[in-house]
């Protein structure tokens, strides 16, 4: 279901418990998989197609951190408010469920688990989002439960 | 404390519950903070020093995913075996505790929480690591509890 408000006019009040948002389309590109992994996660199965072919994965797979980063780009472009994001204290239960390979096309499904006003700060609320990253076969390749502090349109 | 074995000869048996390993030194570079965020986390406080100065952060801060990626590079270079890493099913309790800023110098402290042989697969074990990322003032800026599957030197 779409948000009632555009991303430049989106506040805590627009994140409604139980709603599910799907968005984004990112192709996983081999050169980018290798580039990311050389910088941040230099394991053979992320950086070297030939060596990767000889592992249990049978070929190159993206670093789990690269998959997370690609998710974040879609989350920032489509879900997270552009005007009231007050950063994130963290996340729980991050799971890398299936390999992500060059040529895969990823998208995101977010289910809003909880949206509650902050007890200590009347200008914001706390939104808990269950995030799933899907591939082109609608298989869930990664999931996590993330928390964002979001500014309120009308402070309490 | 150092590992008994070099990273190219390190197996499940070398990850010992209760041991603490500290390693790495990564300077946070402004141009890299901006580059990462433009690709993966385009929020003003990660991409635009002037706009960031007007936020609660008072200046540019690294994307939490960038901090995680810098951690992973040190983890792969110093901690994770180069010969027996069988990937990770996920992590829990990731916390972004303090802002990470250009000029900060990050390092890693890992405490081995648990190291148990796999029940179903005799060729590997499951290592749970509590990871802390520290800045140059020894402040913990990020922490998480990560799980790695590691091959055994001597299958059970």
């Amino acid at each position: 279901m779409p948000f009632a408000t555009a991303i430049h006019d989106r506040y805590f009040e627009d994140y409604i418990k139980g709603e599910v948002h799907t968005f984004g389309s990112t192709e996983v590109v081999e050169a980018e998989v290798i580039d990311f992994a050389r910088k941040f996660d230099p394991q053979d199965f992320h950086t070297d197609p030939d060596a990767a072919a000889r592992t249990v994965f049978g070929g190159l797979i993206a670093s789990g951190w690269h998959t997370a980063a690609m998710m974040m780009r879609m989350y920032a472009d489509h879900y997270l408010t552009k005007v009231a994001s007050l950063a994130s204290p963290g996340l729980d239960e991050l799971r890398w469920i299936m390999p992500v390979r060059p040529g895969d096309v990823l998208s995101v499904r977010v289910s809003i688990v909880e949206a509650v006003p902050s007890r200590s700060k009347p200008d914001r609320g706390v939104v808990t989002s269950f995030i799933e990253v899907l591939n082109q076969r609608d298989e869930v390749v990664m999931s996590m439960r993330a928390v964002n502090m979001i500014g309120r349109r009308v402070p309490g």
Side-chain angles (χ1 to χ4, degrees), chain A:
Chain A
M1 64 194 74
F3 277 103
T5 54
I7 200 163
H8 283 91
D9 181 34
R10 191 173 295 166
Y11 292 86
F12 168 70
E13 290 86 343
D14 301 309
Y15 295 85
I16 297 168
K17 180 177 174 173
E19 289 200 346
V20 178
H21 299 275
T22 59
F23 50 84
S25 177
T26 298
E27 184 176 346
V28 181
V29 176
E30 181 178 284
E32 293 174 6
V33 166
I34 294 171
D35 181 61
F36 186 99
R38 281 186 178 157
K39 279 184 194 152
F40 297 121
D41 193 354
Q43 301 188 67
D44 282 351
F45 41 74
H46 299 320
T47 59
D48 182 338
D50 293 334
R54 296 189 295 270
T55 68
V56 292
F57 300 113
L60 202 70
I61 63 169
S63 166
W65 297 109
H66 189 193
T67 303
M70 289 186 279
M71 177 284 295
M72 185 65 214
R73 178 56 189 262
M74 292 185 271
Y75 193 82
D77 281 351
H78 299 282
Y79 179 75
L80 195 57
T81 163
K82 294 283 187 194
V83 291
S85 168
L86 299 167
S88 167
L91 57 89
D92 289 286
E93 296 168 33
L94 188 156
R95 296 292 175 267
W96 288 299
I97 298 164
M98 292 187 63
V100 172
R101 302 178 188 279
D104 283 354
V105 179
L106 305 180
S107 61
V108 179
R109 178 169 61 212
V110 176
S111 308
I112 301 179
V113 175
E114 198 168 62
V116 293
S118 167
R119 288 181 207 177
S120 56
K121 297 186 177 172
D123 66 340
R124 66 192 64 183
V126 182
V127 177
T128 303
S129 302
F130 181 65
I131 303 170
E132 295 169 293
V133 179
L134 302 133
N135 66 18
Q136 68 280 9
R137 291 180 294 276
D138 277 336
E139 296 163 329
V140 177
V141 298
M142 182 172 72
S143 66
M144 70 191 77
R145 185 182 294 260
V147 177
N148 291 95
M149 312 299 295
I150 307 284
R152 292 170 70 167
R153 183 176 280 109
V154 181

